[in-house]
Amino acid sequence: MRARLVSADGGASYELTKDMTLFGRDEDSDVRLDNKSVSKLHCVIVMTDGVLLLRDLGSTNGTRVNGQRVRRAALLPNDVLAVANLKFKVLFGVELEKHDAEAAEAAKPKREAPAPIRRNALPDVYEEPKPKK
């Protein structure tokens, strides 16, 4: 299963590739969030049978899902996960595929309309001079 946390403020996005992903400020964390509001060992997300399960690890500033502080929660597509004051949108399954397709479409170069054809001010054919009498 593929899952991704997309930063709500334009920061880094994190692909969840492991069955268990540890978030925190500690260097040994799988996802290192270098922010003073994040605890050294803040929370963990476990992927199992197509479900994302979150558990707060007793963090000081808490973990929130859709604005609600939680100790444990099941994450659904498009949920907003707040690790301390860092917010992420949770994407997996169909929502992740839609997000990737939209990003690929936005990355395609836009074709500009061709410039309109302007008529040449000079004639294509010149009249033959009339013979002088």
mmCIF file of all heavy atoms in Angstrom, residues 33-66:
data_model
loop_
_atom_site.group_PDB
_atom_site.id
_atom_site.type_symbol
_atom_site.label_atom_id
_atom_site.label_comp_id
_atom_site.label_asym_id
_atom_site.label_seq_id
_atom_site.Cartn_x
_atom_site.Cartn_y
_atom_site.Cartn_z
ATOM 1 N N LEU A 33 11.252 15.367 11.994
ATOM 2 C CA LEU A 33 10.621 16.679 11.897
ATOM 3 C C LEU A 33 11.406 17.628 12.787
ATOM 4 O O LEU A 33 11.273 17.601 14.010
ATOM 5 C CB LEU A 33 9.156 16.594 12.336
ATOM 6 C CG LEU A 33 8.289 15.639 11.508
ATOM 7 C CD1 LEU A 33 6.920 15.466 12.139
ATOM 8 C CD2 LEU A 33 8.184 16.110 10.083
ATOM 9 N N ASP A 34 12.239 18.429 12.166
ATOM 10 C CA ASP A 34 13.138 19.317 12.906
ATOM 11 C C ASP A 34 12.391 20.595 13.288
ATOM 12 O O ASP A 34 12.501 21.623 12.626
ATOM 13 C CB ASP A 34 14.366 19.628 12.058
ATOM 14 C CG ASP A 34 15.473 20.265 12.872
ATOM 15 O OD1 ASP A 34 15.438 20.159 14.111
ATOM 16 O OD2 ASP A 34 16.376 20.873 12.259
ATOM 17 N N ASN A 35 11.585 20.484 14.348
ATOM 18 C CA ASN A 35 10.796 21.599 14.834
ATOM 19 C C ASN A 35 10.719 21.465 16.352
ATOM 20 O O ASN A 35 10.455 20.377 16.860
ATOM 21 C CB ASN A 35 9.397 21.548 14.206
ATOM 22 C CG ASN A 35 8.560 22.753 14.526
ATOM 23 O OD1 ASN A 35 8.339 23.079 15.692
ATOM 24 N ND2 ASN A 35 8.074 23.411 13.485
ATOM 25 N N LYS A 36 10.931 22.565 17.066
ATOM 26 C CA LYS A 36 10.985 22.498 18.531
ATOM 27 C C LYS A 36 9.679 22.060 19.169
ATOM 28 O O LYS A 36 9.675 21.551 20.283
ATOM 29 C CB LYS A 36 11.413 23.846 19.095
ATOM 30 C CG LYS A 36 12.854 24.157 18.816
ATOM 31 C CD LYS A 36 13.283 25.452 19.454
ATOM 32 C CE LYS A 36 14.749 25.704 19.121
ATOM 33 N NZ LYS A 36 15.263 26.882 19.773
ATOM 34 N N SER A 37 8.556 22.211 18.469
ATOM 35 C CA SER A 37 7.269 21.806 19.044
ATOM 36 C C SER A 37 7.047 20.294 18.936
ATOM 37 O O SER A 37 6.153 19.750 19.574
ATOM 38 C CB SER A 37 6.123 22.550 18.362
ATOM 39 O OG SER A 37 6.029 22.190 17.012
ATOM 40 N N VAL A 38 7.853 19.614 18.139
ATOM 41 C CA VAL A 38 7.731 18.163 17.959
ATOM 42 C C VAL A 38 8.577 17.465 19.020
ATOM 43 O O VAL A 38 9.728 17.824 19.252
ATOM 44 C CB VAL A 38 8.205 17.757 16.542
ATOM 45 C CG1 VAL A 38 8.174 16.251 16.362
ATOM 46 C CG2 VAL A 38 7.361 18.445 15.482
ATOM 47 N N SER A 39 8.002 16.447 19.664
ATOM 48 C CA SER A 39 8.738 15.672 20.666
ATOM 49 C C SER A 39 9.782 14.787 19.992
ATOM 50 O O SER A 39 9.691 14.499 18.799
ATOM 51 C CB SER A 39 7.774 14.794 21.464
ATOM 52 O OG SER A 39 6.879 15.598 22.199
ATOM 53 N N LYS A 40 10.768 14.343 20.779
ATOM 54 C CA LYS A 40 11.819 13.486 20.213
ATOM 55 C C LYS A 40 11.218 12.229 19.598
ATOM 56 O O LYS A 40 11.601 11.811 18.512
ATOM 57 C CB LYS A 40 12.847 13.125 21.273
ATOM 58 C CG LYS A 40 13.750 14.275 21.630
ATOM 59 C CD LYS A 40 14.793 13.853 22.637
ATOM 60 C CE LYS A 40 15.686 15.036 22.987
ATOM 61 N NZ LYS A 40 16.688 14.676 23.970
ATOM 62 N N LEU A 41 10.321 11.578 20.292
ATOM 63 C CA LEU A 41 9.554 10.446 19.770
ATOM 64 C C LEU A 41 8.090 10.863 19.869
ATOM 65 O O LEU A 41 7.487 10.772 20.934
ATOM 66 C CB LEU A 41 9.830 9.176 20.571
ATOM 67 C CG LEU A 41 11.286 8.708 20.565
ATOM 68 C CD1 LEU A 41 11.449 7.502 21.474
ATOM 69 C CD2 LEU A 41 11.735 8.368 19.151
ATOM 70 N N HIS A 42 7.527 11.335 18.785
ATOM 71 C CA HIS A 42 6.223 11.994 18.834
ATOM 72 C C HIS A 42 5.057 11.028 18.600
ATOM 73 O O HIS A 42 4.156 10.925 19.422
ATOM 74 C CB HIS A 42 6.176 13.127 17.804
ATOM 75 C CG HIS A 42 5.096 14.107 18.067
ATOM 76 N ND1 HIS A 42 5.298 15.271 18.757
ATOM 77 C CD2 HIS A 42 3.784 14.078 17.754
ATOM 78 C CE1 HIS A 42 4.167 15.924 18.862
ATOM 79 N NE2 HIS A 42 3.222 15.216 18.244
ATOM 80 N N CYS A 43 5.072 10.346 17.453
ATOM 81 C CA CYS A 43 3.975 9.427 17.133
ATOM 82 C C CYS A 43 4.461 8.371 16.149
ATOM 83 O O CYS A 43 5.559 8.469 15.608
ATOM 84 C CB CYS A 43 2.760 10.171 16.571
ATOM 85 S SG CYS A 43 3.042 10.995 14.993
ATOM 86 N N VAL A 44 3.619 7.374 15.937
ATOM 87 C CA VAL A 44 3.946 6.299 15.005
ATOM 88 C C VAL A 44 2.704 6.015 14.160
ATOM 89 O O VAL A 44 1.578 6.107 14.645
ATOM 90 C CB VAL A 44 4.429 5.031 15.751
ATOM 91 C CG1 VAL A 44 3.352 4.438 16.617
ATOM 92 C CG2 VAL A 44 4.998 4.016 14.790
ATOM 93 N N ILE A 45 2.941 5.715 12.872
ATOM 94 C CA ILE A 45 1.859 5.303 11.986
ATOM 95 C C ILE A 45 2.165 3.889 11.511
ATOM 96 O O ILE A 45 3.270 3.602 11.050
ATOM 97 C CB ILE A 45 1.713 6.253 10.776
ATOM 98 C CG1 ILE A 45 1.269 7.637 11.246
ATOM 99 C CG2 ILE A 45 0.720 5.687 9.765
ATOM 100 C CD1 ILE A 45 1.121 8.664 10.137
ATOM 101 N N VAL A 46 1.183 3.022 11.646
ATOM 102 C CA VAL A 46 1.314 1.624 11.243
ATOM 103 C C VAL A 46 0.374 1.371 10.071
ATOM 104 O O VAL A 46 -0.803 1.746 10.122
ATOM 105 C CB VAL A 46 0.968 0.679 12.418
ATOM 106 C CG1 VAL A 46 1.011 -0.771 11.977
ATOM 107 C CG2 VAL A 46 1.902 0.920 13.579
ATOM 108 N N MET A 47 0.901 0.769 9.000
ATOM 109 C CA MET A 47 0.089 0.384 7.840
ATOM 110 C C MET A 47 -0.208 -1.098 7.950
ATOM 111 O O MET A 47 0.713 -1.911 8.027
ATOM 112 C CB MET A 47 0.837 0.648 6.534
ATOM 113 C CG MET A 47 0.927 2.087 6.157
ATOM 114 S SD MET A 47 1.478 2.333 4.459
ATOM 115 C CE MET A 47 3.183 1.838 4.584
ATOM 116 N N THR A 48 -1.485 -1.430 7.950
ATOM 117 C CA THR A 48 -1.864 -2.825 8.016
ATOM 118 C C THR A 48 -3.181 -3.050 7.288
ATOM 119 O O THR A 48 -4.151 -2.324 7.516
ATOM 120 C CB THR A 48 -1.968 -3.325 9.478
ATOM 121 O OG1 THR A 48 -2.363 -4.672 9.475
ATOM 122 C CG2 THR A 48 -2.925 -2.507 10.296
ATOM 123 N N ASP A 49 -3.220 -4.003 6.383
ATOM 124 C CA ASP A 49 -4.434 -4.380 5.659
ATOM 125 C C ASP A 49 -5.147 -3.180 5.037
ATOM 126 O O ASP A 49 -6.367 -3.056 5.126
ATOM 127 C CB ASP A 49 -5.399 -5.139 6.578
ATOM 128 C CG ASP A 49 -4.811 -6.435 7.085
ATOM 129 O OD1 ASP A 49 -4.024 -7.046 6.339
ATOM 130 O OD2 ASP A 49 -5.130 -6.836 8.221
ATOM 131 N N GLY A 50 -4.407 -2.267 4.436
ATOM 132 C CA GLY A 50 -5.018 -1.127 3.768
ATOM 133 C C GLY A 50 -5.533 -0.055 4.705
ATOM 134 O O GLY A 50 -6.307 0.807 4.302
ATOM 135 N N VAL A 51 -5.099 -0.106 5.964
ATOM 136 C CA VAL A 51 -5.539 0.868 6.964
ATOM 137 C C VAL A 51 -4.307 1.524 7.576
ATOM 138 O O VAL A 51 -3.283 0.880 7.783
ATOM 139 C CB VAL A 51 -6.359 0.168 8.080
ATOM 140 C CG1 VAL A 51 -6.778 1.149 9.155
ATOM 141 C CG2 VAL A 51 -7.571 -0.526 7.500
ATOM 142 N N LEU A 52 -4.411 2.825 7.855
ATOM 143 C CA LEU A 52 -3.348 3.541 8.570
ATOM 144 C C LEU A 52 -3.805 3.769 10.003
ATOM 145 O O LEU A 52 -4.852 4.377 10.238
ATOM 146 C CB LEU A 52 -3.067 4.896 7.915
ATOM 147 C CG LEU A 52 -2.462 4.888 6.527
ATOM 148 C CD1 LEU A 52 -2.287 6.316 6.020
ATOM 149 C CD2 LEU A 52 -1.128 4.183 6.521
ATOM 150 N N LEU A 53 -3.017 3.270 10.937
ATOM 151 C CA LEU A 53 -3.320 3.449 12.360
ATOM 152 C C LEU A 53 -2.271 4.357 12.977
ATOM 153 O O LEU A 53 -1.073 4.148 12.793
ATOM 154 C CB LEU A 53 -3.336 2.099 13.074
ATOM 155 C CG LEU A 53 -4.350 1.088 12.534
ATOM 156 C CD1 LEU A 53 -4.148 -0.268 13.199
ATOM 157 C CD2 LEU A 53 -5.765 1.590 12.748
ATOM 158 N N LEU A 54 -2.715 5.349 13.723
ATOM 159 C CA LEU A 54 -1.838 6.334 14.344
ATOM 160 C C LEU A 54 -1.862 6.147 15.849
ATOM 161 O O LEU A 54 -2.902 5.866 16.440
ATOM 162 C CB LEU A 54 -2.351 7.744 14.001
ATOM 163 C CG LEU A 54 -1.756 8.892 14.793
ATOM 164 C CD1 LEU A 54 -0.398 9.250 14.232
ATOM 165 C CD2 LEU A 54 -2.671 10.080 14.776
ATOM 166 N N ARG A 55 -0.690 6.333 16.457
ATOM 167 C CA ARG A 55 -0.619 6.311 17.920
ATOM 168 C C ARG A 55 0.326 7.404 18.376
ATOM 169 O O ARG A 55 1.463 7.497 17.906
ATOM 170 C CB ARG A 55 -0.122 4.969 18.425
ATOM 171 C CG ARG A 55 -0.069 4.968 19.944
ATOM 172 C CD ARG A 55 0.096 3.629 20.490
ATOM 173 N NE ARG A 55 0.089 3.763 21.936
ATOM 174 C CZ ARG A 55 -0.258 2.826 22.759
ATOM 175 N NH1 ARG A 55 -0.625 1.670 22.279
ATOM 176 N NH2 ARG A 55 -0.225 3.013 24.047
ATOM 177 N N ASP A 56 -0.152 8.267 19.264
ATOM 178 C CA ASP A 56 0.679 9.298 19.875
ATOM 179 C C ASP A 56 1.540 8.618 20.937
ATOM 180 O O ASP A 56 1.083 7.725 21.642
ATOM 181 C CB ASP A 56 -0.209 10.369 20.521
ATOM 182 C CG ASP A 56 0.601 11.504 21.085
ATOM 183 O OD1 ASP A 56 0.955 12.411 20.327
ATOM 184 O OD2 ASP A 56 0.894 11.470 22.310
ATOM 185 N N LEU A 57 2.800 9.026 21.033
ATOM 186 C CA LEU A 57 3.733 8.391 21.972
ATOM 187 C C LEU A 57 3.959 9.248 23.222
ATOM 188 O O LEU A 57 5.060 9.346 23.726
ATOM 189 C CB LEU A 57 5.058 8.104 21.259
ATOM 190 C CG LEU A 57 4.958 7.152 20.067
ATOM 191 C CD1 LEU A 57 6.290 7.039 19.354
ATOM 192 C CD2 LEU A 57 4.466 5.779 20.516
ATOM 193 N N GLY A 58 2.890 9.863 23.710
ATOM 194 C CA GLY A 58 2.999 10.694 24.909
ATOM 195 C C GLY A 58 3.668 12.023 24.627
ATOM 196 O O GLY A 58 4.381 12.560 25.483
ATOM 197 N N SER A 59 3.458 12.560 23.454
ATOM 198 C CA SER A 59 4.102 13.806 23.062
ATOM 199 C C SER A 59 3.606 14.979 23.900
ATOM 200 O O SER A 59 2.492 14.972 24.421
ATOM 201 C CB SER A 59 3.834 14.094 21.579
ATOM 202 O OG SER A 59 2.446 14.289 21.373
ATOM 203 N N THR A 60 4.449 15.991 24.028
ATOM 204 C CA THR A 60 4.114 17.177 24.821
ATOM 205 C C THR A 60 3.020 18.001 24.151
ATOM 206 O O THR A 60 2.047 18.394 24.792
ATOM 207 C CB THR A 60 5.370 18.055 25.020
ATOM 208 O OG1 THR A 60 6.370 17.259 25.643
ATOM 209 C CG2 THR A 60 5.067 19.264 25.871
ATOM 210 N N ASN A 61 3.162 18.273 22.858
ATOM 211 C CA ASN A 61 2.221 19.151 22.160
ATOM 212 C C ASN A 61 1.121 18.414 21.404
ATOM 213 O O ASN A 61 0.306 19.030 20.743
ATOM 214 C CB ASN A 61 2.985 20.070 21.203
ATOM 215 C CG ASN A 61 3.831 21.056 21.974
ATOM 216 O OD1 ASN A 61 3.374 21.674 22.919
ATOM 217 N ND2 ASN A 61 5.086 21.186 21.581
ATOM 218 N N GLY A 62 1.103 17.115 21.517
ATOM 219 C CA GLY A 62 -0.009 16.330 21.012
ATOM 220 C C GLY A 62 -0.021 16.069 19.519
ATOM 221 O O GLY A 62 0.712 16.663 18.742
ATOM 222 N N THR A 63 -0.906 15.156 19.161
ATOM 223 C CA THR A 63 -1.160 14.776 17.781
ATOM 224 C C THR A 63 -2.654 14.932 17.566
ATOM 225 O O THR A 63 -3.452 14.494 18.391
ATOM 226 C CB THR A 63 -0.732 13.318 17.541
ATOM 227 O OG1 THR A 63 0.644 13.173 17.921
ATOM 228 C CG2 THR A 63 -0.873 12.930 16.094
ATOM 229 N N ARG A 64 -3.021 15.580 16.464
ATOM 230 C CA ARG A 64 -4.432 15.840 16.188
ATOM 231 C C ARG A 64 -4.813 15.281 14.830
ATOM 232 O O ARG A 64 -4.029 15.325 13.889
ATOM 233 C CB ARG A 64 -4.722 17.340 16.209
ATOM 234 C CG ARG A 64 -4.448 17.977 17.540
ATOM 235 C CD ARG A 64 -4.695 19.495 17.494
ATOM 236 N NE ARG A 64 -4.295 20.130 18.733
ATOM 237 C CZ ARG A 64 -5.010 20.153 19.846
ATOM 238 N NH1 ARG A 64 -6.176 19.561 19.883
ATOM 239 N NH2 ARG A 64 -4.558 20.748 20.933
ATOM 240 N N VAL A 65 -6.040 14.787 14.749
ATOM 241 C CA VAL A 65 -6.618 14.341 13.484
ATOM 242 C C VAL A 65 -7.882 15.160 13.270
ATOM 243 O O VAL A 65 -8.798 15.114 14.104
ATOM 244 C CB VAL A 65 -6.930 12.832 13.494
ATOM 245 C CG1 VAL A 65 -7.613 12.411 12.201
ATOM 246 C CG2 VAL A 65 -5.657 12.020 13.710
ATOM 247 N N ASN A 66 -7.893 15.932 12.198
ATOM 248 C CA ASN A 66 -9.016 16.825 11.889
ATOM 249 C C ASN A 66 -9.357 17.741 13.070
ATOM 250 O O ASN A 66 -10.519 17.977 13.387
ATOM 251 C CB ASN A 66 -10.246 16.028 11.444
ATOM 252 C CG ASN A 66 -9.976 15.233 10.189
ATOM 253 O OD1 ASN A 66 -9.237 15.665 9.319
ATOM 254 N ND2 ASN A 66 -10.557 14.056 10.101
#
